[in-house]
Amino acid sequence: MVSIIIVHYHVKKELFDCLTSIIKSTKNTSYEIIVVDNDEEKAIGKELHNKFQHIIYIPNENRGFGQGCNIGALYAKGEYLLFLNPDTKLLPRALDLLISFLKRNKSAGVVAPLLLHGNKKPFKLQGTSLLTPIYAIFSLSFLARIFPNNYFYCKYWKTEWDRTKLKEVDVVPGTAFAVRREIFAEVHGFDENFFLYFEEFDLCKRIREKGHKLYIFPESQIIHLWENSTRQRSDINKIFKKSRLYYFKKHYGVFSALMVELFARFGKFEFAIIIIVLLSFFLNFYKLSLLMTFIGDQGWFYLSARDMLLTGHLPLVGITSSHPWLHQGPIWTYLLAGALLVGKFDPVSGGYLSACIGVLTVVALALLVKELLNRRVAAIAALLYTTSPFIVFHTRMPYHTSPIPLFVILLLYSVFKLVRGHPKYLTLTTFSLAVLYNLEVATVVYAYVLFIFFGFAFICKKEWFSLAKNLKLLILSAVTFVVPMLPIFIYDTSHGYPQTLKFAAWNVYNVLKIFGFHLHPIRAEETWGRFFSLSAGYMQKLFFLQSVWIALLLLLLSLGAALFYVVKSKETTSFRLLFGLWIFLPFVAYVATKTPSDAYTPMLFPGLMVSLAIMVEYVYRIKRYAAIFLLMFIVASNVYGLLSTDFLTGGAWRGLSLRTREKAAQYIVGKMKNTPYRLVGYGPGSQFVSYTMNYEYLTWWMGNGPTGSGSTPVRITDIPPKIVVQVDHAASQIFSSQ
């Protein structure tokens, strides 16, 4: 007799069809049917007995497929056990043929039928070689998609097998197979540590190790309605990964299991992101100690971080903004202090910090766009962001603007999660907003983004907005905003509230400027001609280094593509409004305020690169190879441009690198040995107090910093591409970028 064991889970109709097919197809074999019910609610028992009177029905706590099979085997009386999925249908004589085969072939321990689709065509992949780590790496990972006919894949899946002929295999499909009862008992049944998936690989391996053979017998055929029960679960991918890890850990050890996971958990997207991240590492770190930019404003933060470490005095604000009464926040000073402490005050240690933040930003952008749009746009956006010359330049420049793109991404991600019904992310929203203000006051534009978006949600009574109106959550969100802002609030109480009340005035002033009102005379650099000229240069460095006209064309096409997506997307109104505000409002504010400062551009980086990726995606849909060519042309041109201009510190871009400034600092240190001196700036920009602060830090780090007023003057003119140093009245020394 054969005991047919079926573990049922949420497929009542398929189960009843399966039972009917067993009765109709089996003529020459005596059998019993055992149904193990793993449903949460045991609702099929009565109807099952009414329609199939001789069924053995076992209600069972759902502890996995293998455990359910073992429970069924305990009740079995047959000499043979047939484990059968409920979403199957037996074709005529399927069971008779299996059992007849086992009776004739004493060396066979297990035999499985040929599995067919609903159209009665055989499944292409069924019956495999033993699942070893090397087979898994080449057959169950992205490598199988990249190299679909590789040697290991073909050997593992036995692709040469003629599906009409008997085949000995190492592993039979768990969908349906017959096993001698004494063999099943000999190996102690299924390992119940497998909840689902890979339990048949484990069982078959143990049966083979006992010297028994396994076969697929094509004359016996069963239709399988693929995964009708497993699609009822939302955690099926998590279960699959857990079982895979356990299988390899059990049979091949932890190291092999981790190696398999490294490959198996990564698909084409993950593989592409790994390559992009490696490229980001290269572009962000290559020759950083020589070619890092180190301007006077950076020196301000370095001196502030140095003094914080040496004196223990915690700065409450950062460098002043373009309006002297308004400061940036101190967060960058705190971050930089940590890097300098680890790097023993080496100035390049700040560069390593900003470079690491840049790599992290690439990953964050890819994950964000993957959730918002799709994997292809995410990979394209990450690649474009990684290779944009202007972005790389800012990433390699340890400055308060360096982390801005990362927190712009986190802000959108947090609000996106709010829209998707996860109110706890409101805390990340407020935290990101506070950090952005600390890094650059111009990022207040994102407060406008949130004001408009939350106003829309309030007026339209969006459900997700009501979920966020939880008192405990609101208090916690207020705390996550106040903590990064606390030093600024403390500073304000004793300085006339410039960061709060005067900050409000700063906002009013910028709004007035948009409508043509000015509270002081317009400076020459604020003319539209100068604004567009400088901004065009920024866009050239951002989009396409080789040509400003191609760069501006890409900018217009990108913004057009993003606008088209916002208008035509099938996403919700909330999502489209949020996405549109995130991309367009900062850009509109940048143009409207007519302030051509490259310190304002980092907040535009993520949105513009995503817009460019959307444009490339639209081209891809029309002409695949044209899009690939366009993408590679942009990327290759920008990477070449970066390398050929020493990351915008040399060549036509007339920059100055850390290497050149260190030479000037070394000259000063050597000349002023044992002589007190002060640094005096000359030339355009020298009216700003931070003009010589980079040299103040470098000479201090080299062991002979300036002592201040009343000592010998050392005059410095720092106008790229050269530095002019004059010690007292001696002849000037010129240092040029290479």
Side-chain angles (χ1 to χ4, degrees), residues 52-67:
F52 308 97
Q53 297 181 2
H54 301 293
I55 296 290
I56 300 172
Y57 173 72
I58 306 171
N60 183 52
E61 177 187 357
N62 187 8
R63 284 161 43 199
F65 174 77
Q67 186 266 351

Side-chain angles (χ1 to χ4, degrees), residues 183-204:
I183 293 176
F184 188 76
E186 182 183 9
V187 297
H188 307 292
F190 284 100
D191 182 342
E192 296 181 9
N193 289 304
F194 294 97
F195 184 85
L196 189 64
Y197 296 120
F198 290 92
E199 61 279 297
E200 74 270 29
F201 290 92
D202 170 73
L203 180 69
C204 291

